Coordinates of all heavy atoms in Angstrom, one line a residue:
C15 N 0.8 -1.2 0.0 CA 0.0 0.0 0.0 C 0.9 1.2 0.0 O 2.0 1.2 0.5 CB -1.0 0.0 1.2 SG -0.2 -0.2 2.8
H16 N 0.4 2.3 -0.5 CA 1.1 3.5 -0.6 C 0.2 4.7 -0.2 O -1.0 4.6 -0.5 CB 1.5 3.8 -2.1 CG 2.4 2.8 -2.6 ND1 3.8 2.7 -2.4 CD2 2.2 1.7 -3.4 CE1 4.3 1.7 -3.0 NE2 3.3 1.0 -3.7
S17 N 0.7 5.7 0.4 CA -0.1 6.9 0.7 C 0.8 8.1 0.4 O 2.0 8.1 0.6 CB -0.4 6.9 2.2 OG -1.3 6.0 2.6
F18 N 0.1 9.1 -0.2 CA 0.8 10.3 -0.5 C 0.0 11.4 0.1 O -1.2 11.4 0.0 CB 0.9 10.5 -2.0 CG 1.7 9.4 -2.7 CD1 1.2 8.3 -3.1 CD2 3.1 9.6 -2.8 CE1 1.9 7.3 -3.7 CE2 3.9 8.7 -3.4 CZ 3.3 7.5 -3.9
F19 N 0.7 12.4 0.7 CA 0.0 13.6 1.3 C 0.2 14.8 0.4 O 1.3 15.0 0.0 CB 0.5 13.9 2.7 CG 0.2 12.8 3.7 CD1 1.0 11.7 3.9 CD2 -1.0 12.9 4.4 CE1 0.7 10.7 4.8 CE2 -1.4 11.9 5.3 CZ -0.5 10.8 5.5
I20 N -0.9 15.5 0.1 CA -0.8 16.7 -0.7 C -1.4 17.8 0.1 O -2.5 17.7 0.6 CB -1.6 16.5 -2.0 CG1 -1.0 15.4 -2.8 CG2 -1.5 17.8 -2.8 CD1 -1.9 15.0 -4.0
K21 N -0.6 18.8 0.4 CA -1.2 19.9 1.2 C -1.2 21.2 0.4 O -0.3 21.7 -0.2 CB -0.3 20.2 2.4 CG -0.8 21.3 3.3 CD 0.0 21.4 4.6 CE -0.7 22.5 5.4 NZ 0.1 22.9 6.6
V22 N -2.4 21.7 0.4 CA -2.7 23.0 -0.2 C -3.3 23.8 0.9 O -2.7 24.1 1.9 CB -3.6 22.9 -1.5 CG1 -3.7 24.2 -2.2 CG2 -3.0 21.9 -2.4
S23 N -4.6 24.2 0.8 CA -5.3 24.7 2.0 C -6.0 23.6 2.7 O -6.7 23.8 3.7 CB -6.2 25.8 1.6 OG -7.2 25.3 0.7
Y24 N -5.9 22.4 2.1 CA -6.7 21.2 2.6 C -5.7 20.1 2.4 O -4.9 20.0 1.4 CB -7.9 21.0 1.7 CG -9.0 20.2 2.3 CD1 -9.9 20.8 3.1 CD2 -9.1 18.9 2.0 CE1 -11.0 20.1 3.7 CE2 -10.2 18.2 2.6 CZ -11.1 18.8 3.4 OH -12.1 18.1 4.0
I25 N -5.6 19.2 3.4 CA -4.7 18.0 3.3 C -5.5 16.9 2.6 O -6.5 16.4 3.1 CB -4.2 17.6 4.6 CG1 -3.4 18.7 5.3 CG2 -3.3 16.3 4.5 CD1 -3.1 18.5 6.7
W26 N -4.9 16.3 1.6 CA -5.5 15.2 0.9 C -4.5 14.0 1.0 O -3.4 14.1 0.7 CB -5.7 15.4 -0.6 CG -6.8 16.4 -0.9 CD1 -6.6 17.8 -1.0 CD2 -8.2 16.2 -1.0 NE1 -7.8 18.4 -1.2 CE2 -8.8 17.4 -1.2 CE3 -9.0 15.0 -0.9 CZ2 -10.2 17.6 -1.4 CZ3 -10.4 15.2 -1.1 CH2 -10.9 16.4 -1.3
Q27 N -5.0 12.9 1.5 CA -4.2 11.7 1.5 C -4.8 10.7 0.5 O -5.9 10.4 0.5 CB -4.2 11.0 2.9 CG -3.4 9.7 2.8 CD -3.5 8.9 4.1 OE1 -4.2 9.3 5.1 NE2 -2.8 7.8 4.2
I28 N -4.0 10.4 -0.5 CA -4.4 9.4 -1.5 C -3.9 8.1 -1.1 O -2.6 7.8 -1.0 CB -3.8 9.8 -2.9 CG1 -4.2 11.2 -3.3 CG2 -4.3 8.8 -4.0 CD1 -3.6 11.8 -4.5
Y29 N -4.8 7.2 -0.8 CA -4.5 5.9 -0.2 C -4.7 4.8 -1.2 O -5.8 4.5 -1.6 CB -5.4 5.6 1.0 CG -5.2 4.4 1.8 CD1 -3.9 3.9 2.0 CD2 -6.2 3.6 2.3 CE1 -3.7 2.8 2.8 CE2 -6.0 2.5 3.0 CZ -4.7 2.0 3.2 OH -4.5 0.9 3.9
F30 N -3.5 4.2 -1.7 CA -3.5 3.1 -2.7 C -3.5 1.9 -1.8 O -2.6 1.6 -1.1 CB -2.3 3.2 -3.5 CG -2.2 4.5 -4.4 CD1 -1.7 5.6 -3.9 CD2 -2.7 4.4 -5.7 CE1 -1.7 6.8 -4.8 CE2 -2.7 5.5 -6.5 CZ -2.2 6.7 -6.0
S31 N -4.6 1.1 -2.0 CA -4.7 -0.1 -1.2 C -5.6 -1.2 -1.9 O -6.2 -0.9 -2.9 CB -5.4 0.3 0.2 OG -5.4 -0.8 1.1
A32 N -5.6 -2.4 -1.3 CA -6.4 -3.5 -1.9 C -6.7 -4.5 -0.8 O -6.0 -4.6 0.2 CB -5.7 -4.2 -3.0
S33 N -7.8 -5.1 -0.9 CA -8.3 -6.1 0.1 C -7.4 -7.3 0.2 O -7.3 -8.0 1.2 CB -9.7 -6.6 -0.2 OG -9.7 -7.3 -1.5
W34 N -6.6 -7.6 -0.9 CA -5.7 -8.8 -0.9 C -4.3 -8.4 -0.4 O -3.5 -9.3 -0.2 CB -5.6 -9.3 -2.4 CG -5.3 -8.3 -3.4 CD1 -6.2 -7.7 -4.2 CD2 -4.1 -7.7 -3.7 NE1 -5.6 -6.7 -5.0 CE2 -4.3 -6.7 -4.7 CE3 -2.8 -7.8 -3.2 CZ2 -3.2 -5.9 -5.2 CZ3 -1.7 -7.0 -3.7 CH2 -2.0 -6.1 -4.7
C35 N -4.1 -7.2 0.0 CA -2.8 -6.7 0.4 C -2.7 -6.8 2.0 O -3.3 -6.0 2.6 CB -2.5 -5.3 -0.1 SG -1.0 -4.6 0.6
G36 N -2.0 -7.8 2.5 CA -1.9 -8.0 3.9 C -1.5 -6.7 4.7 O -2.1 -6.3 5.7
P37 N -0.4 -6.1 4.3 CA 0.1 -4.9 5.0 C -0.9 -3.8 4.9 O -1.1 -3.0 5.9 CB 1.4 -4.5 4.3 CG 1.9 -5.8 3.7 CD 0.7 -6.6 3.3
C38 N -1.7 -3.7 3.8 CA -2.7 -2.6 3.6 C -3.8 -2.9 4.6 O -4.3 -2.0 5.3 CB -3.2 -2.6 2.2 SG -2.0 -2.2 0.9
V39 N -4.3 -4.1 4.7 CA -5.4 -4.5 5.6 C -5.0 -4.2 7.0 O -5.8 -3.7 7.8 CB -5.8 -6.0 5.4 CG1 -6.8 -6.4 6.4 CG2 -6.3 -6.2 4.0
K40 N -3.7 -4.4 7.4 CA -3.3 -4.1 8.8 C -3.2 -2.6 9.0 O -3.4 -2.1 10.1 CB -2.0 -4.7 9.0 CG -2.0 -6.2 9.2 CD -0.7 -6.9 9.4 CE -0.8 -8.4 9.5 NZ 0.5 -9.0 9.7
T41 N -2.9 -1.8 7.9 CA -2.6 -0.4 8.0 C -4.0 0.4 8.1 O -4.1 1.4 8.7 CB -1.8 0.1 6.9 OG1 -0.5 -0.6 6.9 CG2 -1.6 1.6 6.9
T42 N -5.0 -0.1 7.4 CA -6.2 0.6 7.2 C -6.9 1.0 8.5 O -7.3 2.2 8.7 CB -7.2 -0.2 6.3 OG1 -6.7 -0.4 5.0 CG2 -8.6 0.5 6.2
P43 N -7.0 0.2 9.6 CA -7.6 0.6 10.8 C -6.8 1.8 11.4 O -7.4 2.7 12.1 CB -7.5 -0.6 11.7 CG -7.4 -1.8 10.8 CD -6.7 -1.3 9.6
K44 N -5.5 1.8 11.3 CA -4.7 3.0 11.8 C -5.1 4.3 11.1 O -5.1 5.3 11.7 CB -3.2 2.6 11.7 CG -2.8 1.5 12.5 CD -1.4 1.1 12.3 CE -1.1 -0.1 13.1 NZ 0.3 -0.7 12.8
I45 N -5.3 4.2 9.8 CA -5.6 5.3 9.0 C -7.0 5.8 9.3 O -7.3 7.0 9.4 CB -5.4 5.1 7.5 CG1 -3.9 4.8 7.2 CG2 -5.9 6.3 6.7 CD1 -3.7 4.4 5.7
V46 N -7.9 4.8 9.5 CA -9.3 5.1 10.0 C -9.3 5.9 11.3 O -9.9 7.0 11.4 CB -10.2 3.9 10.1 CG1 -11.5 4.2 10.8 CG2 -10.4 3.3 8.7
S47 N -8.5 5.5 12.2 CA -8.3 6.1 13.5 C -7.8 7.6 13.4 O -8.3 8.5 13.9 CB -7.4 5.3 14.5 OG -7.3 6.0 15.7
A48 N -6.7 7.7 12.6 CA -6.2 9.0 12.3 C -7.2 9.9 11.6 O -7.3 11.1 11.9 CB -4.9 8.9 11.5
H49 N -7.9 9.4 10.7 CA -8.9 10.1 9.9 C -10.0 10.7 10.9 O -10.4 11.8 10.8 CB -9.5 9.3 8.8 CG -10.6 9.9 8.1 ND1 -11.9 9.8 8.3 CD2 -10.5 10.8 7.0 CE1 -12.6 10.5 7.5 NE2 -11.8 11.1 6.7
Q50 N -10.4 9.9 11.8 CA -11.4 10.3 12.8 C -10.9 11.4 13.7 O -11.6 12.3 14.0 CB -11.9 9.1 13.6 CG -12.7 8.1 12.8 CD -13.0 6.8 13.5 OE1 -12.3 6.4 14.4 NE2 -14.0 6.1 13.0
T51 N -9.6 11.4 14.0 CA -9.0 12.5 14.8 C -8.9 13.7 14.0 O -9.1 14.8 14.5 CB -7.6 12.0 15.2 OG1 -7.7 10.8 15.9 CG2 -6.9 13.1 16.0
L52 N -8.7 13.7 12.7 CA -8.5 14.9 11.8 C -9.9 15.4 11.2 O -9.8 16.4 10.6 CB -7.6 14.5 10.7 CG -6.2 14.2 11.1 CD1 -5.4 13.8 9.9 CD2 -5.5 15.4 11.7
L53 N -11.0 14.7 11.5 CA -12.3 15.2 10.9 C -12.5 16.6 11.3 O -12.3 17.0 12.5 CB -13.4 14.3 11.4 CG -13.7 13.0 10.6 CD1 -14.8 12.3 11.3 CD2 -13.9 13.3 9.2
G54 N -12.9 17.4 10.4 CA -13.2 18.9 10.7 C -11.9 19.7 10.7 O -12.0 20.9 11.0
K55 N -10.8 19.1 10.4 CA -9.5 19.9 10.4 C -8.9 20.0 9.0 O -7.7 20.0 8.8 CB -8.5 19.2 11.4 CG -9.0 19.2 12.8 CD -8.0 18.6 13.7 CE -8.5 18.7 15.1 NZ -7.6 18.0 16.1
K56 N -9.8 20.1 8.0 CA -9.4 20.3 6.6 C -8.5 19.2 6.1 O -7.5 19.4 5.6 CB -8.7 21.6 6.5 CG -9.7 22.8 6.8 CD -9.0 24.1 6.4 CE -10.0 25.2 6.6 NZ -9.4 26.5 6.2
A57 N -8.9 18.0 6.4 CA -8.2 16.8 5.9 C -9.1 15.8 5.3 O -10.2 15.6 5.8 CB -7.4 16.2 7.0
Q58 N -8.7 15.1 4.3 CA -9.5 14.0 3.7 C -8.7 12.9 3.1 O -7.5 13.2 2.7 CB -10.4 14.7 2.6 CG -11.4 13.7 2.0 CD -12.4 13.1 2.9 OE1 -12.1 12.0 3.4 NE2 -13.4 13.8 3.3
V59 N -9.2 11.8 3.1 CA -8.5 10.6 2.4 C -9.4 10.2 1.2 O -10.6 10.2 1.2 CB -8.5 9.4 3.5 CG1 -7.8 8.2 2.8 CG2 -7.7 9.8 4.7
I60 N -8.6 9.7 0.2 CA -9.3 9.2 -1.0 C -8.7 7.8 -1.3 O -7.4 7.7 -1.4 CB -9.1 10.1 -2.2 CG1 -9.7 11.5 -1.9 CG2 -9.8 9.5 -3.5 CD1 -9.4 12.5 -3.0
L61 N -9.5 6.8 -1.3 CA -9.0 5.4 -1.7 C -8.9 5.3 -3.2 O -9.8 5.6 -3.9 CB -9.9 4.4 -1.1 CG -9.6 2.9 -1.6 CD1 -8.4 2.4 -0.9 CD2 -10.8 2.0 -1.3
V62 N -7.7 4.7 -3.6 CA -7.6 4.2 -5.0 C -7.4 2.7 -4.8 O -6.3 2.3 -4.3 CB -6.4 4.9 -5.7 CG1 -6.2 4.4 -7.1 CG2 -6.5 6.4 -5.7
S63 N -8.3 1.9 -5.2 CA -8.3 0.5 -5.0 C -7.5 -0.2 -6.1 O -7.7 0.1 -7.3 CB -9.7 -0.1 -5.0 OG -9.7 -1.4 -4.8
A64 N -6.8 -1.2 -5.7 CA -6.0 -2.1 -6.6 C -6.8 -3.4 -6.8 O -6.2 -4.4 -7.3 CB -4.6 -2.3 -6.2
D65 N -7.9 -3.6 -6.2 CA -8.7 -4.8 -6.3 C -9.1 -5.0 -7.7 O -9.4 -4.1 -8.5 CB -10.0 -4.7 -5.4 CG -9.6 -5.0 -3.9 OD1 -9.1 -6.1 -3.7 OD2 -9.9 -4.2 -3.1
Q66 N -9.2 -6.3 -8.1 CA -9.6 -6.7 -9.5 C -11.1 -7.0 -9.5 O -11.7 -7.0 -10.6 CB -8.8 -7.9 -10.0 CG -7.3 -7.6 -10.0 CD -7.0 -6.5 -11.0 OE1 -7.5 -6.5 -12.1 NE2 -6.2 -5.5 -10.6
D67 N -11.7 -7.3 -8.4 CA -13.1 -7.7 -8.3 C -13.9 -6.6 -7.6 O -13.5 -6.2 -6.5 CB -13.2 -9.0 -7.5 CG -14.6 -9.5 -7.4 OD1 -15.1 -10.0 -8.4 OD2 -15.2 -9.3 -6.3
E68 N -14.9 -6.1 -8.2 CA -15.7 -5.0 -7.7 C -16.3 -5.3 -6.3 O -16.3 -4.5 -5.4 CB -16.8 -4.6 -8.7 CG -17.5 -3.3 -8.2 CD -18.4 -2.7 -9.3 OE1 -18.6 -3.3 -10.4 OE2 -18.9 -1.6 -9.1
S69 N -16.8 -6.5 -6.2 CA -17.4 -6.9 -4.8 C -16.4 -6.9 -3.7 O -16.7 -6.4 -2.6 CB -18.2 -8.2 -4.9 OG -17.3 -9.3 -5.2
D70 N -15.1 -7.3 -4.0 CA -14.1 -7.3 -3.0 C -13.7 -5.9 -2.7 O -13.6 -5.5 -1.5 CB -12.8 -8.0 -3.6 CG -12.9 -9.5 -3.7 OD1 -13.8 -10.1 -3.0 OD2 -12.1 -10.1 -4.4
A71 N -13.7 -5.0 -3.7 CA -13.4 -3.6 -3.5 C -14.5 -2.9 -2.6 O -14.1 -2.2 -1.7 CB -13.2 -2.9 -4.8
K72 N -15.7 -3.2 -3.0 CA -16.8 -2.6 -2.2 C -16.8 -3.0 -0.8 O -17.0 -2.3 0.2 CB -18.1 -2.9 -2.9 CG -18.4 -2.1 -4.1 CD -19.7 -2.3 -4.7 CE -19.9 -1.4 -5.9 NZ -21.3 -1.6 -6.5
E73 N -16.6 -4.3 -0.5 CA -16.6 -4.9 0.8 C -15.4 -4.2 1.6 O -15.6 -3.8 2.8 CB -16.5 -6.4 0.8 CG -16.5 -7.0 2.2 CD -16.3 -8.5 2.2 OE1 -16.6 -9.1 1.2 OE2 -16.0 -9.0 3.3
Y74 N -14.3 -4.2 1.1 CA -13.1 -3.6 1.7 C -13.4 -2.1 2.0 O -13.1 -1.6 3.1 CB -11.9 -3.8 0.9 CG -10.6 -3.3 1.5 CD1 -10.2 -3.6 2.7 CD2 -9.7 -2.5 0.7 CE1 -9.0 -3.2 3.3 CE2 -8.5 -2.1 1.2 CZ -8.1 -2.5 2.5 OH -6.9 -2.0 3.0
F75 N -13.9 -1.4 1.0 CA -14.1 0.1 1.1 C -15.2 0.4 2.2 O -15.2 1.4 2.8 CB -14.5 0.7 -0.2 CG -14.8 2.2 -0.1 CD1 -13.9 3.1 0.3 CD2 -16.1 2.6 -0.5 CE1 -14.1 4.4 0.3 CE2 -16.4 4.0 -0.4 CZ -15.4 4.9 0.0
S76 N -16.1 -0.6 2.4 CA -17.2 -0.4 3.4 C -16.7 -0.1 4.8 O -17.4 0.4 5.7 CB -18.2 -1.5 3.4 OG -17.6 -2.7 4.0
K77 N -15.4 -0.5 5.1 CA -14.8 -0.3 6.4 C -14.1 1.1 6.5 O -13.5 1.4 7.5 CB -13.7 -1.4 6.6 CG -14.3 -2.8 6.6 CD -13.2 -3.9 6.6 CE -13.9 -5.2 6.6 NZ -13.4 -6.0 5.4
M78 N -14.2 1.9 5.4 CA -13.5 3.2 5.4 C -14.5 4.3 5.3 O -15.4 4.3 4.5 CB -12.6 3.2 4.1 CG -11.6 2.1 4.1 SD -10.7 2.0 2.5 CE -10.1 0.3 2.6
P79 N -14.3 5.3 6.2 CA -15.2 6.5 6.3 C -14.8 7.6 5.4 O -15.0 8.8 5.8 CB -15.1 6.9 7.8 CG -13.7 6.6 8.1 CD -13.3 5.3 7.3
W80 N -14.2 7.4 4.2 CA -13.8 8.5 3.4 C -14.2 8.2 1.9 O -15.0 7.3 1.6 CB -12.3 8.6 3.5 CG -11.5 7.3 3.4 CD1 -11.3 6.5 2.2 CD2 -10.7 6.7 4.4 NE1 -10.5 5.5 2.5 CE2 -10.2 5.5 3.8 CE3 -10.5 7.0 5.7 CZ2 -9.3 4.7 4.6 CZ3 -9.7 6.1 6.4 CH2 -9.1 5.0 5.9
L81 N -13.7 9.0 1.1 CA -14.0 9.0 -0.4 C -13.2 7.9 -1.1 O -12.2 7.4 -0.6 CB -13.7 10.3 -1.0 CG -14.3 11.5 -0.4 CD1 -13.8 12.8 -1.0 CD2 -15.8 11.5 -0.6
S82 N -13.7 7.5 -2.3 CA -13.0 6.6 -3.1 C -13.1 6.9 -4.6 O -14.2 7.4 -5.0 CB -13.6 5.2 -2.9 OG -13.0 4.2 -3.8
V83 N -12.1 6.7 -5.3 CA -12.2 6.8 -6.8 C -13.1 5.6 -7.2 O -12.9 4.5 -6.7 CB -10.8 6.6 -7.5 CG1 -11.0 6.6 -9.0 CG2 -9.9 7.8 -7.1
P84 N -14.2 5.8 -7.9 CA -15.1 4.7 -8.3 C -14.3 3.6 -8.9 O -13.4 3.8 -9.8 CB -16.0 5.4 -9.3 CG -16.0 6.9 -9.0 CD -14.6 7.1 -8.5
F85 N -14.7 2.4 -8.6 CA -14.1 1.2 -9.1 C -14.1 1.1 -10.6 O -13.1 0.7 -11.2 CB -14.8 -0.1 -8.5 CG -14.2 -1.4 -8.9 CD1 -13.1 -1.9 -8.3 CD2 -14.7 -2.1 -10.0 CE1 -12.5 -3.1 -8.7 CE2 -14.1 -3.3 -10.4 CZ -13.0 -3.8 -9.8
T86 N -15.1 1.6 -11.2 CA -15.3 1.5 -12.6 C -14.5 2.6 -13.4 O -14.4 2.6 -14.6 CB -16.8 1.6 -13.0 OG1 -17.3 2.8 -12.5 CG2 -17.6 0.4 -12.5
D87 N -13.9 3.6 -12.7 CA -13.2 4.7 -13.3 C -11.7 4.2 -13.5 O -10.8 4.8 -12.9 CB -13.3 5.9 -12.4 CG -12.8 7.2 -13.1 OD1 -12.2 7.0 -14.2 OD2 -13.0 8.3 -12.6
T88 N -11.5 3.2 -14.3 CA -10.2 2.6 -14.5 C -9.2 3.6 -15.1 O -8.0 3.5 -14.8 CB -10.3 1.3 -15.3 OG1 -11.0 1.7 -16.6 CG2 -11.1 0.3 -14.6
D89 N -9.7 4.5 -15.9 CA -8.7 5.5 -16.5 C -8.1 6.4 -15.4 O -6.9 6.6 -15.4 CB -9.5 6.4 -17.6 CG -9.8 5.6 -18.8 OD1 -9.2 4.5 -19.1 OD2 -10.7 6.1 -19.6
R90 N -8.9 6.8 -14.5 CA -8.4 7.7 -13.4 C -7.5 6.9 -12.5 O -6.5 7.4 -12.0 CB -9.6 8.3 -12.6 CG -9.1 9.3 -11.6 CD -10.3 10.0 -11.0 NE -11.3 10.3 -11.9 CZ -11.7 11.5 -12.3 NH1 -11.1 12.6 -11.7 NH2 -12.6 11.8 -13.2
V91 N -7.9 5.6 -12.2 CA -7.0 4.8 -11.3 C -5.7 4.6 -12.0 O -4.6 4.7 -11.3 CB -7.7 3.4 -11.0 CG1 -6.7 2.5 -10.4 CG2 -8.9 3.6 -10.1
E92 N -5.7 4.3 -13.3 CA -4.4 4.1 -14.0 C -3.6 5.4 -14.0 O -2.4 5.3 -13.9 CB -4.7 3.6 -15.4 CG -5.2 2.1 -15.5 CD -5.6 1.7 -16.9 OE1 -5.2 2.4 -17.9 OE2 -6.2 0.7 -17.0
A93 N -4.2 6.5 -14.2 CA -3.5 7.8 -14.3 C -2.9 8.1 -12.9 O -1.8 8.5 -12.8 CB -4.5 8.9 -14.7
L94 N -3.6 7.8 -11.8 CA -3.1 8.1 -10.5 C -1.9 7.1 -10.2 O -0.9 7.5 -9.6 CB -4.2 8.0 -9.4 CG -5.2 9.1 -9.4 CD1 -6.4 8.8 -8.6 CD2 -4.5 10.4 -8.9
N95 N -2.1 5.8 -10.6 CA -1.0 4.9 -10.4 C 0.2 5.3 -11.1 O 1.3 5.2 -10.6 CB -1.5 3.5 -10.8 CG -2.4 2.8 -9.9 OD1 -2.4 3.1 -8.7 ND2 -3.2 1.8 -10.4
E96 N 0.1 5.8 -12.3 CA 1.2 6.2 -13.1 C 1.8 7.5 -12.5 O 3.1 7.6 -12.3 CB 0.8 6.5 -14.5 CG 2.0 6.9 -15.4 CD 1.5 7.1 -16.9 OE1 0.6 6.3 -17.4 OE2 2.1 7.9 -17.5
L97 N 1.0 8.5 -12.1 CA 1.5 9.7 -11.6 C 2.3 9.5 -10.3 O 3.3 10.1 -10.1 CB 0.3 10.6 -11.3 CG 0.6 12.0 -10.6 CD1 1.4 12.9 -11.6 CD2 -0.6 12.7 -10.2
F98 N 1.8 8.6 -9.4 CA 2.5 8.4 -8.2 C 3.4 7.1 -8.2 O 3.9 6.7 -7.2 CB 1.5 8.3 -7.0 CG 0.9 9.6 -6.8 CD1 -0.4 9.9 -7.2 CD2 1.5 10.6 -6.0 CE1 -1.0 11.1 -7.0 CE2 1.0 11.8 -5.8 CZ -0.3 12.1 -6.2
Q99 N 3.6 6.5 -9.4 CA 4.5 5.4 -9.6 C 4.1 4.2 -8.7 O 5.0 3.6 -8.0 CB 5.9 5.8 -9.4 CG 6.3 6.9 -10.4 CD 7.7 7.4 -10.2 OE1 8.4 7.0 -9.3 NE2 8.2 8.2 -11.1
V100 N 2.8 3.9 -8.7 CA 2.3 2.8 -7.8 C 2.2 1.5 -8.7 O 1.6 1.6 -9.8 CB 1.0 3.1 -7.2 CG1 0.4 1.9 -6.5 CG2 1.1 4.3 -6.3
E101 N 2.8 0.4 -8.2 CA 2.7 -0.8 -8.9 C 1.9 -1.8 -8.0 O 2.1 -1.8 -6.8 CB 4.0 -1.4 -9.3 CG 4.8 -0.5 -10.2 CD 6.2 -1.0 -10.6 OE1 6.4 -2.2 -10.2 OE2 6.9 -0.2 -11.1
G102 N 1.2 -2.7 -8.6 CA 0.5 -3.7 -7.7 C -1.0 -3.8 -7.9 O -1.6 -3.0 -8.5

């Protein structure tokens, strides 16, 4: 899993993750906890899923209280993976 922070007047964390990634699954609850602490403080997380199956992606995302790039928006997912040099 990979996370990138972008700070402008608002902090965006782009979280590259997948339900099949053991380290990601272990990290997600920590990010959920941090996200709850930062609510209302101009911070947001966006999930970019590497899951291949939409039902797996939806089930995994259901544990996350933030935004997600739509599973079907493969062009955007590929562009973000390329921009941030994410493989997997």
